[in-house]
Amino acid sequence: GSLLVSAGRLEEASAQVDKLLTMAPENEDVLMLSVMVAKASENKKKKSEVIKQLLAVNPNQPDANVELAKEQMLRRNYKLAKSYYERGLKGDPENIDVLSGYGQVMYYNGNINISKESFEKVLELDPQNSFSYSFLGKIAAEEENYKVATEHIQKAIEIDDDIYDYWLDYGQYLRYQGEYKKTEEAWLKAKSLEPDYFLSYAYLAGLYDEQNRFNEALEMYRKVIELNPKYYFAYESL
């Protein structure tokens, strides 16, 4: 069933889930597989119904609580997201998805020390977890320790070198240290990864503007407006 979901063969996966549910209607793995099929099929109603069934069996089921927490994270309801992650931790205190999400939500809630502990715990369990390195970089930057922040984001990039946000953060930390050439290279890399998203152009425009490279700055600001017409800072700078 899981392999069929991964392969995108959702009708077959759904049929497999139906068979499994007749055999074990309260099995947590089966119910979670049903959630994954509903999610992949973009059936929000079905997904919500099955998560309720799963939590009725086990209120602290980690994967189900992660799904609910992610929904709240998208709505920026960090308080409710935190409560779901805390339930997930009760169910499995070493679940990497739960720990990562908990670290993220605690960062957004301003609980930096707890966030740091959570991401460090993830790295004990999974030393190749680039997401945790990226957030440890953010935490170090919050403390204005840009050298350490740079070391963390470099490690994240070594593991996953095609993540847009990592290159944006890398450029930011370098900029604070006066490494303007390397900053430009990092943001150009970000631009190459997601050429249709405006933020790397905005960062480059500001960098060029500060360096009196006005023709290049104008080009970037115009690109920002093309991609995001509501970004008023670009009009102001033009």
Side-chain angles (χ1 to χ4, degrees), residues 8-65:
R9 294 159 59 181
L10 300 180
E11 287 187 14
E12 294 170 85
S14 182
Q16 188 74 15
V17 167
D18 289 342
K19 290 179 185 177
L20 289 163
L21 286 171
T22 61
M23 298 162 60
E26 293 191 350
N27 181 279
E28 291 182 29
D29 291 335
V30 174
L31 287 168
M32 196 61 216
L33 180 58
S34 183
V35 171
M36 292 299 101
V37 172
K39 182 179 179 180
S41 304
E42 298 183 358
N43 189 336
K44 294 181 181 179
K45 183 180 179 182
K46 178 68 173 178
K47 175 187 166 185
S48 179
E49 289 172 355
V50 181
I51 286 177
K52 285 180 182 178
Q53 288 178 257
L54 183 49
L55 293 179
V57 175
N58 178 4
N60 299 323
Q61 208 284 335
D63 296 323
N65 278 291

Side-chain angles (χ1 to χ4, degrees), residues 9 27 32 46 59 65 70 109 119-121 124 127 136 142 147-149 152-153 160 202 212 215 228:
R9 294 159 59 181
N27 181 279
M32 196 61 216
K46 178 68 173 178
N65 278 291
K70 285 180 177 178
N109 280 325
F119 285 119
E120 286 174 344
K121 178 66 174 178
E124 288 177 17
L136 288 173
E142 288 276 343
K147 184 177 183 295
V148 171
H152 283 309
I153 200 62
D160 288 312
N212 297 330
N215 287 335
N228 185 358

Side-chain angles (χ1 to χ4, degrees), residues 46-223:
K46 178 68 173 178
K47 175 187 166 185
S48 179
E49 289 172 355
V50 181
I51 286 177
K52 285 180 182 178
Q53 288 178 257
L54 183 49
L55 293 179
V57 175
N58 178 4
N60 299 323
Q61 208 284 335
D63 296 323
N65 278 291
V66 165
E67 285 298 315
L68 293 175
K70 285 180 177 178
E71 291 176 3
Q72 297 306 318
M73 291 289 280
L74 290 172
R75 297 173 185 146
R76 299 189 179 183
N77 188 341
Y78 300 131
K79 184 177 180 180
L80 188 52
K82 174 176 172 282
S83 70
Y84 287 128
Y85 282 126
E86 286 174 339
R87 283 188 199 172
L89 285 172
K90 288 180 183 177
D92 183 0
E94 294 192 346
N95 184 291
I96 287 173
D97 289 336
V98 177
L99 284 165
S100 296
Y102 187 61
Q104 187 178 14
V105 79
M106 296 307 280
Y107 174 83
Y108 290 139
N109 280 325
N111 295 310
I112 300 299
N113 289 335
I114 296 175
S115 175
K116 185 176 181 180
E117 288 172 6
S118 189
F119 285 119
E120 286 174 344
K121 178 66 174 178
V122 172
L123 289 173
E124 288 177 17
L125 299 166
D126 176 16
Q128 295 298 302
N129 192 287
S130 67
F131 184 76
S132 292
Y133 280 113
S134 75
F135 262 87
L136 288 173
K138 291 179 188 293
I139 292 168
E142 288 276 343
E143 298 167 346
E144 298 186 3
N145 193 339
Y146 300 114
K147 184 177 183 295
V148 171
T150 301
E151 290 170 357
H152 283 309
I153 200 62
Q154 283 175 328
K155 184 64 178 177
I157 288 170
E158 284 175 18
I159 297 166
D160 288 312
D161 66 355
D162 59 351
I163 307 295
Y164 180 83
D165 289 342
Y166 293 0
W167 289 99
L168 287 183
D169 287 349
Y170 186 32
Q172 287 277 44
Y173 307 153
L174 291 167
R175 186 181 188 182
Y176 284 123
Q177 296 173 85
E179 298 276 359
Y180 299 118
K181 180 61 178 174
K182 290 182 180 179
T183 297
E184 180 183 4
E185 290 170 356
W187 289 343
L188 286 170
K189 175 65 176 180
K191 180 170 75 71
S192 72
L193 290 170
E194 291 195 26
D196 295 327
Y197 190 61
F198 77 97
L199 200 54
S200 60
Y201 296 96
Y203 283 10
L204 285 164
L207 182 68
Y208 294 149
D209 199 346
E210 288 176 5
Q211 297 175 337
N212 297 330
R213 296 163 63 180
F214 297 126
N215 287 335
E216 292 164 285
L218 284 166
E219 181 185 351
M220 292 296 108
Y221 283 129
R222 287 172 180 143
K223 189 66 178 179

